[in-house]
Amino acid sequence: MADTTGFPPCRRAVLKGAAVAGVAGLGLTACGAGSEDGADSTGPTSPVELGAASEVPVGGAKLYADAKVVVAQPTKGVYKAYSAVCTHQGCVCDKLTGTTLSCPCHGSGFNAATGAVEHGPASRPLPSVGIQVEAGKLVAGPSA
């Protein structure tokens, strides 16, 4: 076998390395969906029924993790909804304690009644989501 020490790597080795790096990069991009770089984290893309409006306590909030929405009722009959997708790197917030919504990935916390960041690393608030009550049920989404 010939000694190749000191010679540049062959084209096949370079392309193979580039392909592996590209696949790894795609994995990282997927983890960052909805991140601070502007990817979408706005919640449902079409109207979704969440459940009975009475499930959201006055002065409190309820997390609808499957729909990626948190709904607050700051005063009786007034509902506010926000995306439950963390604005840091796109993880879905999974815990609601009082009105503090928590992200499991990096520990960001948000005020569920206002969408404001309570502690980072997230620096942008949660985007609001349309919400309405139809026949006693909450419906969230862009046309709600």
Side-chain angles (χ1 to χ4, degrees):
M1 178 167 247
D3 179 18
T4 58
T5 307
F7 288 95
C10 72
R11 181 173 183 233
R12 183 176 295 157
V14 169
L15 292 174
K16 184 177 177 182
V20 169
V23 169
L26 286 175
L28 291 173
T29 300
C31 291
S35 67
E36 302 242 341
D37 62 359
D40 187 28
S41 64
T42 58
T45 56
S46 61
V48 60
E49 186 177 297
L50 301 175
S54 60
E55 294 176 353
V56 181
V58 175
K62 180 171 172 71
L63 173 62
Y64 298 90
D66 290 343
K68 301 178 185 175
V69 174
V70 63
V71 178
Q73 186 178 188
T75 58
K76 187 170 177 62
V78 175
Y79 297 91
K80 298 192 180 260
Y82 299 92
S83 170
V85 178
C86 181
T87 58
H88 176 240
Q89 289 201 343
C91 296
V92 178
C93 295
D94 68 346
K95 187 175 180 183
L96 181 65
T97 305
T99 57
T100 299
L101 185 63
S102 302
C103 178
C105 294
H106 301 105
S108 292
F110 301 90
N111 184 312
T114 66
V117 175
E118 289 187 349
H119 53 85
S123 62
R124 291 183 299 123
L126 296 172
S128 62
V129 172
I131 188 81
Q132 61 186 14
V133 180
E134 293 179 2
K137 301 211 182 257
L138 293 171
V139 178
S143 63

